[in-house]
Amino acid sequence: MGLRPSSPPPSSSSSRAGLLIIWWCCLIQYSDMALGSKTRHFKWEVEYMYWSPDCNEHMVMGINGQFPGPTIRARAGDTVHVELTNKLPTEGVVIHWHGIRQQGTPWADGTASISQCVINPGETFLYRFKVDKAGTYFYHGHYGMQRSAGLYGSLIVDVAEGEKEPFHYDGEFNLLLSDWWHQSAHEQELGLSSKPMRWPGEPQSLLMNGRGQYNCSLAAHFTNTSSTQCKFNGTEQCAPEILRVMPKKTYRLRLASTTALASLNLAIGNHKMVVVEADGNYVQPFAVEDMDIYSGESYSVLLTTDQDPSQNYWVSISVRGRKPQTPQGLTILHYLHHPKTSLIPTRPPPVAPLWNNYTHSKLFTTKILALMGTPQPPTTTHRRIALLNTQNYIDGYTKWAINNLSLVLPSTPYLGALKYSINNAFDGEKPPENFPMDYDVMNPATNQNSSYGSGVYMLDFNTTVDVILQNANALAEKTSEIHPWHLHGHDFWVLGYGEGRFSNQKENNFNLRNPPFRNTAVIFPYGWTALRFVADNPGAWAFHCHIEPHLHMGMGVVFAEGVHLVGKVPHDALTCGLTGKMFMGGNGKP
């Protein structure tokens, strides 16, 4: 039996170094304990599985055998470790932690070809990041159209130990909203990339916490359709999650929309909701009877159970901004301790506003204002970038473009290419910061052709940047769509909304006093939205329409700032493309 050779006795200097390391580790551990922060460990496997989200069995992308994926719960200041293993047989995967700013960990943002290489089948990647701010967040796949395949889940960050929310509640529910197709995400991708394009159509169903109904309805006897009444024993994968409440209590509803396409309107029969949080930031409380929520947005609302406790009430979500061909998503608010022969409410579900009633939508959106104590925007900007959103053709293929460039992602992640100054990894030409003065946003473009691009908007570190999102007519006449835009790595101030084409005179009406601080903002049809943010987070960051088919068809840009300040990037985040070749050739070290 072999013996391990003994090591030589340590020198006094190495002993001191060892003691110093031990002392430092203890100090860090003590500091974490003193501050109440923890490291939360998760071990996940991503795989395809059969599931029945809307009572029809299809293939979904799940985590550890769950759909939606497991909920992450942490406190502000905690560090999250997710050891993610790709069990998909033939495709890569990444996960984006939506709303988490990734300060100091840009490689953990989970955006394929921007912050990291995809995790190949059979490989494991460790996501490690700090959740620095309490709020309602979620996570989802950010490669291809894996969000449409069901790769998503909730991420809830509670206030740090010893801190309190600026509002009181007695209990809490979490509703993760999504839409669902019976056509696979791969088939949808192929259709969108075909010539001519094959649009996948509207979703077959709307889901709450991964549960909806397609071949039956909870409210069949209130409708004029041929739909049959759903009958559940509660164990079905598509059976609704009932919200069970006590009378005369206040509940917090955490809402997040990970829809691939649908903008939604949420209502609770006979109950008002008080909006208190948007995208992880507190807002001035205001009451609503219904509310719009766009893909990528999250909210908290307070619900007081002050109605007749002998009745139950509908919780409904309905499609907004598109002609609805998808049934309402429904579940039930159930008052406890009162005998009922049936859980089904005696009144019909709430009637949603007309799908194209944008006045209703704008009234809600403009009510969202920052709570006192929220960081205020700088009063001036160093740079303004105007981004024109258009639908175009490239060689006969239908695409979405920004300033006439449709984004294509390179094989080398931007973060690695910029950190290691690798030439030819992406377009070296700067993308345009504006669009022609004579462009008519109210009508189809005279020239509807566009080009591909992969350039980067390089931002000076710690400068203030304004972005004007400008909507326009699509390819078809009298058509302009809603686009919710999400910025990675930052929150931004929403300074204002307007109709038609933006002009510099409109900035006189910017809200610099209490604009909402958010990570996702909508542009309405034929309108503009003005944003302001500080480029203070070193890294390469996606900024894109959160509608999955639109991003797949090129509707996004990439910002980069202070990449020279990024610390060590894990080797396995950059083992593809030119960075992978560089490491293999020994010409550079991660």
Side-chain angles (χ1 to χ4, degrees), residues 136-138 175-178 254-258 293 297-299:
T136 304
Y137 307 103
F138 61 102
L175 289 181
L176 184 63
L177 312 178
S178 57
R254 294 183 182 269
L255 310 167
S257 176
T258 186
I293 178 167
E297 291 187 327
S298 63
Y299 291 94

Side-chain angles (χ1 to χ4, degrees), residues 470-516:
Q470 177 66 65
N471 213 340
N473 201 97
L475 287 170
E477 290 187 356
K478 299 180 180 179
T479 301
S480 184
E481 297 189 21
I482 282 176
H483 300 292
W485 275 76
H486 172 60
L487 177 59
H488 294 225
H490 307 75
D491 284 348
F492 50 68
W493 294 274
V494 185
L495 302 184
Y497 304 88
E499 311 289 334
R501 179 171 177 147
F502 177 82
S503 65
N504 290 334
Q505 290 77 16
K506 305 287 179 66
E507 66 181 287
N508 294 327
N509 296 322
F510 282 177
N511 176 12
L512 299 177
R513 187 170 60 90
N514 54 7

Side-chain angles (χ1 to χ4, degrees), residues 181-421:
W181 282 259
H182 294 167
Q183 188 182 60
S184 73
H186 292 304
E187 192 171 351
Q188 291 181 52
E189 283 183 281
L190 176 60
L192 294 169
S193 305
S194 296
K195 185 170 68 173
M197 178 188 69
R198 299 186 184 185
W199 180 248
E202 302 303 308
Q204 271 68 60
S205 54
L206 302 177
L207 311 180
M208 287 187 265
N209 292 341
R211 296 165 177 264
Q213 296 80 42
Y214 171 71
N215 55 3
C216 66
S217 171
L218 294 173
H221 58 287
F222 292 115
T223 67
N224 296 322
T225 66
S226 58
S227 182
T228 59
Q229 182 70 35
C230 294
K231 295 181 180 179
F232 295 120
N233 60 29
T235 63
E236 299 88 351
Q237 292 171 342
C238 59
E241 284 189 3
I242 307 300
L243 278 57
R244 293 178 168 84
V245 297
M246 296 292 293
K248 306 300 182 184
K249 300 290 184 181
T250 297
Y251 292 87
R252 179 181 190 168
L253 269 63
R254 294 183 182 269
L255 310 167
S257 176
T258 186
T259 55
L261 176 64
S263 302
L264 300 174
N265 180 268
L266 179 137
I268 302 175
N270 281 47
H271 290 75
K272 288 188 176 182
M273 299 171 284
V274 177
V275 181
V276 293
E277 178 215 344
D279 293 353
N281 294 285
Y282 299 127
V283 300
Q284 296 179 22
F286 64 98
V288 293
E289 293 184 352
D290 63 85
M291 59 184 290
D292 286 349
I293 178 167
Y294 303 98
S295 178
E297 291 187 327
S298 63
Y299 291 94
S300 283
V301 300
L302 299 182
L303 168 75
T304 300
T305 51
D306 55 2
Q307 297 301 301
D308 182 356
S310 67
Q311 300 293 319
N312 284 332
Y313 303 89
W314 295 109
V315 180
S316 67
I317 51 175
S318 308
V319 172
R320 299 281 284 130
R322 306 182 66 85
K323 193 171 184 179
Q325 300 174 27
T326 308
Q328 278 184 315
L330 295 171
T331 189
I332 296 168
L333 185 74
H334 171 48
Y335 279 70
L336 293 170
H337 295 330
H338 285 272
K340 300 175 178 69
T341 57
S342 172
L343 280 176
I344 301 300
T346 57
R347 298 179 181 179
V351 177
L354 288 176
W355 67 273
N356 56 356
N357 183 352
Y358 296 115
T359 300
H360 186 88
S361 302
K362 293 170 186 176
L363 284 172
F364 169 76
T365 301
T366 54
K367 285 181 181 178
I368 302 171
L369 300 170
L371 189 66
M372 184 179 295
T374 302
Q376 289 190 299
T379 56
T380 59
T381 186
H382 297 99
R383 184 174 177 183
R384 175 168 292 166
I385 300 172
L387 301 178
L388 176 68
N389 294 229
T390 56
Q391 193 179 37
N392 301 80
Y393 292 117
I394 301 179
D395 299 327
Y397 294 92
T398 303
K399 299 292 177 182
W400 286 95
I402 304 302
N403 291 351
N404 214 40
L405 289 178
S406 184
L407 180 66
V408 287
L409 295 173
S411 58
T412 304
Y414 289 100
L415 181 63
L418 292 167
K419 180 174 174 60
Y420 296 108
S421 302

Side-chain angles (χ1 to χ4, degrees), residues 40-44 70-73 80-84 126:
R40 313 275 179 171
H41 294 274
F42 302 89
K43 194 170 183 178
W44 287 358
T71 295
I72 290 179
R73 191 125 201 174
V80 174
H81 280 216
V82 179
E83 186 180 321
L84 185 73
L126 176 62

Side-chain angles (χ1 to χ4, degrees), residues 477-588:
E477 290 187 356
K478 299 180 180 179
T479 301
S480 184
E481 297 189 21
I482 282 176
H483 300 292
W485 275 76
H486 172 60
L487 177 59
H488 294 225
H490 307 75
D491 284 348
F492 50 68
W493 294 274
V494 185
L495 302 184
Y497 304 88
E499 311 289 334
R501 179 171 177 147
F502 177 82
S503 65
N504 290 334
Q505 290 77 16
K506 305 287 179 66
E507 66 181 287
N508 294 327
N509 296 322
F510 282 177
N511 176 12
L512 299 177
R513 187 170 60 90
N514 54 7
F517 202 36
R518 308 202 60 172
N519 61 58
T520 303
V522 64
I523 40 173
F524 293 105
Y526 298 110
W528 55 265
T529 299
L531 314 175
R532 179 169 293 177
F533 71 96
V534 178
D536 59 358
N537 194 4
W541 308 104
F543 182 44
H544 61 89
C545 177
H546 209 259
I547 292 175
E548 185 109 299
H550 292 182
L551 175 59
H552 181 71
M553 298 163 73
M555 199 171 195
V557 300
V558 176
F559 293 142
E561 70 223 40
V563 178
H564 63 287
L565 300 173
V566 173
K568 182 178 174 63
V569 177
H571 182 277
D572 52 354
L574 301 174
T575 52
C576 60
L578 296 177
T579 45
K581 291 179 181 178
M582 181 184 74
F583 297 154
M584 288 176 63
N587 295 323

